Amino acid sequence: MSKHYLHLGLIGYPIEHSYSAILHTAALKAHGLNGEYNLHKIPPLPDGEKKLEELFNFMREGEITGLNVTIPHKRNVIRFLDKLSDISTRIDAVNTIAFQNGCLFGTNTDADGFLNDLKIKAAGYIVLEQSVISDSANRANALILGAGGAARAIAFSLLVSGWNITIAARKLEQARSLMENLNRHFVNSIIKAVDLSKNVLEEVAGDISLLINATSAGMFPNADLNSWPEGVSLPPECFVYDLVYNPGITKLMKQAEIENIPNAGGIGMLVEQAVLSFEIWTGMHVSREVLFESIRDIM
Ligand code: NAP
């Protein structure tokens, strides 16, 4: 056993639904490392401001080794950090923080975690690497529901892979602001922002090869919600990926099953991003199998 004790954890609100503590505890055990993973429930700003500040002061004193960040703080934490990875700067959201060489370093493992899992789950249904098609007008379209922290990471990862994307949010200005930000980095892709409404989605559905739910609709304890509007069929020729992982089968996935559309939930992405975060904190690679095994009974 290592003498060094690792203090890991998660900042979020709510966080009761999270599996991260189970995953990282299993990872620590698999590598014979001493440590723990704690949940830090910090309310949305402005109420959570003081608590965030306290936590980062604590981290600077070396009392916390690494943190994950989830809803609603992925962007709120940025101003407390000393250094950002290139990817988190471009996504403008952080989900992993490490205290390294006296410096608070933030990065984002959601984008690569998503792509790694999509590669496995959607193999045979979609061509993931759209950049092989030189004319952007001929590249496939992905529709992303939601314009929050996770949607930013998903949009970024798909644009890097050459996709054209449409972002649909119930607050149109949120989708537009994300589109404008992405347009600055990805001049060769077609990026659109639309209202997440019945009429609009009916109109765009025909041209969609990949539909991603990056909203929190359907997530515990609101498992009866579906971000896809009621009474509208899903895009007929697409793969559906729901980032929500608790419950394991969401309302959107059930709709996809009924309409015979291949689909996957967010548990694989959760595992993939955890593998990458653990590597940043410890320099060690934990196998997906170890992590899946740790949550087998609750999935
Ligand atoms: P966030 O920053 O709070 O953003 C949530 C987005 O969802 C916002 O655009 C919000 O719109 C929208 N939204 C919430 N409820 C909605 C509803 N009923 N209908 C339509 N839109 C709705 O959260 P996030 O960090 O992006 O996370 C989003 C989801 O992804 C969460 O369920 C999270 O657990 C999941 N996630 C999973 C993984 C994984 O590894 N599988 C990783 C990251 C995130 P408003 O602003 O209008 O409320």
Side-chain angles (χ1 to χ4, degrees), residues 181-295:
N181 184 289
L182 292 165
N183 264 329
R184 281 197 281 274
H185 299 289
F186 297 96
V187 288
N188 293 325
S189 296
I190 301 167
I191 308 172
K192 293 181 189 160
V194 299
D195 215 357
L196 203 173
S197 69
K198 194 172 171 181
N199 293 348
V200 173
L201 294 191
E202 265 170 349
E203 211 174 286
V204 300
D207 193 27
I208 298 301
S209 307
L210 176 62
L211 168 66
I212 298 125
N213 175 41
T215 78
S216 36
M219 184 178 82
F220 175 86
N222 299 311
D224 56 330
L225 291 183
N226 187 352
S227 53
W228 190 257
E230 194 155 356
V232 181
S233 298
L234 292 167
E237 301 290 333
C238 81
F239 186 89
V240 169
Y241 193 100
D242 196 336
L243 257 63
V244 172
Y245 60 85
N246 183 0
I249 299 175
T250 63
K251 204 163 171 190
L252 176 65
M253 291 163 74
K254 284 181 194 158
Q255 180 177 355
E257 282 298 310
I258 291 167
E259 296 180 22
N260 229 350
I261 288 168
N263 61 85
I267 199 74
M269 172 179 168
L270 184 79
V271 164
E272 296 289 343
Q273 61 80 34
V275 168
L276 297 171
S277 295
F278 190 77
E279 206 160 329
I280 288 163
W281 297 324
T282 65
M284 293 177 186
H285 179 80
V286 61
S287 80
R288 293 184 189 122
E289 290 69 28
V290 164
L291 298 192
F292 275 119
E293 182 57 27
S294 72
I295 48 173

